[in-house]
Amino acid sequence: MDTLRVVVSGLIAQYPLGGVTWDYLQYVLGLHRMGVDVFYMEDTGLWPYNPHEGGISKSCEFNVDYLSKVMRAHGLDGRWAYRFPWQEQWFGIPDKLRKDVIRTADLFLNVSGTVRDPAQYRGRGRMVYIDSDPVFTQVKLARGQCDFRAVVDAHDVHLSFGEAQSSLVPDTGYHWLPTRQPVVLEEWRSGENCRETFTTVMNWTSYKPVEFRGVHYGQKDLEFRRFMDLPSRASPTKLEIAIAQGKTAQAPTDLLRHKGWRVVDPAVVCPEWTTYRRYLQSSKGEWSVAKHGYVAGQPGWFSCRSACYLAAGRPVVVQDTGIAGVIPLGEGVLTFGTIEEAVASLREIEGSYERHRKAALELAAAYFDSSVVISRLISDSLA
């Protein structure tokens, strides 16, 4: 039997940030370690973000260099391509190889729907749309955004991180198969002692809220305000958030500090893939809210970042998004809906930390191991 050939899309160069890198790298790395003939191709049609310039850049040198270093560090040199919008410039593998890979690929995984024109990647195999932002994806489709529906229609298979298939999520006419973030477990194992601090890495808002049939679907800012007083309520447990700061930041950092949160800048503590991993590994665990849209829609979404905490043996306390039927709760992963429940969950982990640490590792292996997740993804995509 011929070796399976798979193309993965993503945003590693577009947003050269630690968490974003791992979101897409673990698909490529996981496939590679399974013996799949895998290539990474990034073609968003967007001008890249440069964190050192504080915004969108007119050039791509930094972004291409970052992508190249990431791939080389993981034995993936010679297996990537990146398109810069200006004059259709491609970087990475030669054009002839890139076109041949597209033509002969058995699967094209459009992760997060990042490819600007998926029709250009139609080869002999199947096109797979992986929805990593459930509820918001379905709302866009249900609202009748024809351009977006045309993109989704270009795919043969549709997978979603919204694993619960909640009736609160608008119907779109697609058959969404459940999937989740693959985690390459050996990349996250840690022998380090942790700090006595629960952390998270987050954006205050990622994009504007949306409405559909009178229902409002917002961002993390709406949910976080309900838990502003958590540090004083959960004391002496220490809580830290790595959240973007500076002139353009929307987070009320002064108010957060006043309320007892330790606020750090991700550009300082976890700017790229290695420091991001160390930041998670050095934490005692994670405490985090979810986007308001995930809470309202209850899609059964579980954070890519939280899965990495688990793989590092760090238990998580996360806001309920309907995941009760997706992964086991109560040990390693605890959920909350109110501030009282959040305090109780933190107290539970603090009181039985070793038990919850072991449970976190077991959950990561059983539910997020890249070989398990990707094997199911391939099976569903080729069925």
Side-chain angles (χ1 to χ4, degrees), residues 70-252:
V70 168
M71 293 298 171
R72 188 180 309 116
H74 295 91
L76 297 164
D77 201 18
R79 291 190 167 272
W80 62 271
Y82 168 78
R83 190 188 75 87
F84 182 54
W86 177 249
Q87 297 182 338
E88 300 283 328
Q89 297 177 69
W90 279 97
F91 298 85
I93 61 176
D95 288 348
K96 185 177 184 301
L97 175 58
R98 174 174 50 82
K99 292 175 182 178
D100 180 67
V101 168
I102 292 170
R103 179 181 59 82
T104 60
D106 298 290
L107 289 175
F108 184 90
L109 306 183
N110 192 1
V111 187
S112 307
T114 54
V115 171
R116 57 169 183 141
D117 184 3
Q120 293 188 13
Y121 293 86
R122 171 66 69 179
R124 72 177 184 187
R126 309 198 82 187
M127 301 282 291
V128 183
Y129 188 96
I130 299 179
D131 163 33
S132 60
D133 197 21
V135 180
F136 293 95
T137 294
Q138 286 70 36
V139 167
K140 285 197 292 183
L141 291 165
R143 291 175 69 184
Q145 293 182 219
C146 296
D147 55 343
F148 182 55
R149 182 169 284 273
V151 169
V152 179
D153 278 343
H155 298 79
D156 306 299
V157 184
H158 304 91
L159 306 177
S160 178
F161 281 17
E163 295 191 63
Q165 303 292 308
S166 167
S167 61
L168 297 173
V169 180
D171 181 54
T172 61
Y174 296 97
H175 179 49
W176 296 100
L177 298 172
T179 192
R180 60 183 63 130
Q181 175 68 37
V183 178
V184 182
L185 299 182
E186 55 267 33
E187 291 289 322
W188 293 92
R189 291 182 182 131
S190 172
E192 298 179 12
N193 293 326
C194 64
R195 298 182 290 143
E196 289 296 316
T197 306
F198 285 79
T199 69
T200 195
V201 184
M202 62 173 281
N203 290 317
W204 191 244
T205 59
S206 299
Y207 43 81
K208 294 180 179 180
V210 296
E211 287 192 14
F212 179 67
R213 293 182 178 173
V215 179
H216 182 84
Y217 303 92
Q219 298 290 302
K220 284 189 175 182
D221 57 330
L222 292 183
E223 293 301 325
F224 203 103
R225 292 184 188 280
R226 297 173 49 210
F227 301 93
M228 278 287 193
D229 293 326
L230 184 61
S232 61
R233 297 281 296 273
S235 181
T237 295
K238 298 176 182 177
L239 297 165
E240 177 177 290
I241 51 176
I243 190 168
Q245 301 172 59
K247 294 181 179 179
T248 61
Q250 297 174 302

Side-chain angles (χ1 to χ4, degrees), residues 284 309-315 331-333 349 352-366:
K284 188 168 191 178
Y309 273 98
L310 294 179
R314 306 305 182 223
E331 291 190 343
V333 176
I349 290 179
S352 304
Y353 185 73
E354 188 60 22
R355 175 167 59 88
H356 287 287
R357 186 192 69 80
K358 290 180 179 178
L361 289 170
E362 292 170 358
L363 285 171

Side-chain angles (χ1 to χ4, degrees), residues 18-40:
V20 177
T21 300
W22 284 108
D23 288 350
Y24 303 100
L25 171 63
Q26 295 190 99
Y27 280 94
V28 188
L29 188 56
L31 284 159
H32 182 62
R33 293 186 179 179
M34 291 170 65
V36 173
D37 184 24
V38 62
F39 288 82
Y40 176 80

